[in-house]
Amino acid sequence: MTRQPRIALIHATAIAIDPIKNAFDTGWPEADRVNILEDSLSLDRAKDSAVTDRMMERILALSKYARMIGSDAVLFTCSSFGTAIERAASVLDIPVLKPNEAMFEEAIRSGGRTAMLYTFPPAREGMETEFREEAARISPSAEIESFLVEGAIDAIRAGDEATHNRLVAEAAAKLEDFDAITLAHFSTARARGAVQAVTPIPVLTSPDAAVARLRRLLT
């Protein structure tokens, strides 16, 4: 491409914006980024036990809008809409990425056992399913074990990043015998430094892995 690719970043919560901005600033600063925030998505998703047909339609509509404004790829930054994002990816003629697919692939290739630290309970089941689907393609023996970090998401929503990072790091410090630690959400990526300070286990984040994959796809 003669111009820099345009990437539509679709957010279901404002707390995901800074982590992906930082990942692009570090990993692909030249990329043309467009932020699309629809913050009722995470509130509505928390009320339902699964992704509904109506939610599917909303995710598809956002993806089509991203395509309409000339985006070369779409990246969703919320971890709770996997099946809806897959549907959008099957309809659009540009790459539509789930938040964690690149991170999960990296974790699976790094070894057999992955720990996932998550802060938003509705995301757990779908993310574990995504991991196992990716593992079936790459390494069927790979395993994931998930750990809820209580109170972390409330802290970051209240603007208390220090408490969020401390809670995530405390949970990570208890982990042993894993080949990788994945920080489940884009919002959790801000704790990477704190986690790396307390564990020798490699720490992976969704934003950094997603940016690296997008750059490979589009350049």
Side-chain angles (χ1 to χ4, degrees):
M1 296 181 179
T2 57
R3 63 176 177 84
Q4 285 298 322
R6 169 171 281 190
I7 314 298
L9 305 170
I10 301 181
H11 314 286
T13 174
I15 61 177
I17 295 176
D18 282 348
I20 189 60
K21 176 185 181 298
N22 294 337
F24 268 104
D25 288 346
T26 300
W28 193 10
E30 306 85 5
D32 176 16
R33 296 160 256 169
V34 178
N35 291 288
I36 303 171
L37 173 62
E38 211 292 60
D39 57 3
S40 71
L41 283 170
S42 60
L43 297 175
D44 293 342
R45 178 67 182 88
K47 299 173 186 176
D48 297 311
S49 59
V51 176
T52 64
D53 290 343
R54 181 60 177 161
M55 190 69 72
M56 291 263 196
E57 294 172 4
R58 293 167 65 184
I59 294 296
L60 180 58
L62 287 165
S63 301
K64 288 182 175 179
Y65 174 76
R67 182 69 180 92
M68 185 175 67
I69 62 173
S71 300
D72 300 293
V74 179
L75 172 64
F76 282 84
T77 65
C78 184
S79 311
S80 304
F81 306 97
T83 54
I85 299 169
E86 289 171 3
R87 180 189 172 197
S90 72
V91 172
L92 269 67
D93 60 349
I94 58 174
V96 179
L97 273 62
K98 293 179 288 187
N100 302 297
E101 58 184 272
M103 178 181 69
F104 283 159
E105 179 179 353
E106 187 176 347
I108 291 163
R109 294 189 186 281
S110 70
R113 298 193 70 222
T114 295
M116 182 172 73
L117 298 178
Y118 71 104
T119 64
F120 185 56
R124 174 182 176 172
E125 183 177 355
M127 293 178 68
E128 288 181 345
T129 298
E130 289 175 27
F131 180 94
R132 293 186 179 108
E133 289 172 350
E134 194 73 10
R137 183 177 68 85
I138 299 171
S139 177
S141 63
E143 300 176 353
I144 188 169
E145 187 171 352
S146 301
F147 302 86
L148 175 62
V149 184
E150 296 275 5
I153 197 167
D154 297 321
I156 201 62
R157 284 173 173 167
D160 188 352
E161 183 170 327
T163 296
H164 169 273
N165 294 354
R166 175 179 58 78
L167 292 172
V168 176
E170 287 174 355
K174 300 174 184 177
L175 301 176
E176 296 179 352
D177 300 323
F178 288 98
D179 298 294
I181 295 172
T182 56
L183 304 184
H185 320 292
F186 275 54
S187 61
T188 326
R190 53 178 38 89
R192 182 176 190 170
V195 173
Q196 289 176 322
V198 300
T199 178
I201 303 171
V203 181
L204 307 179
T205 71
S206 300
D208 292 316
V211 168
R213 173 173 284 188
L214 284 167
R215 188 165 192 170
R216 289 194 302 271
L217 285 172
L218 298 177
T219 61

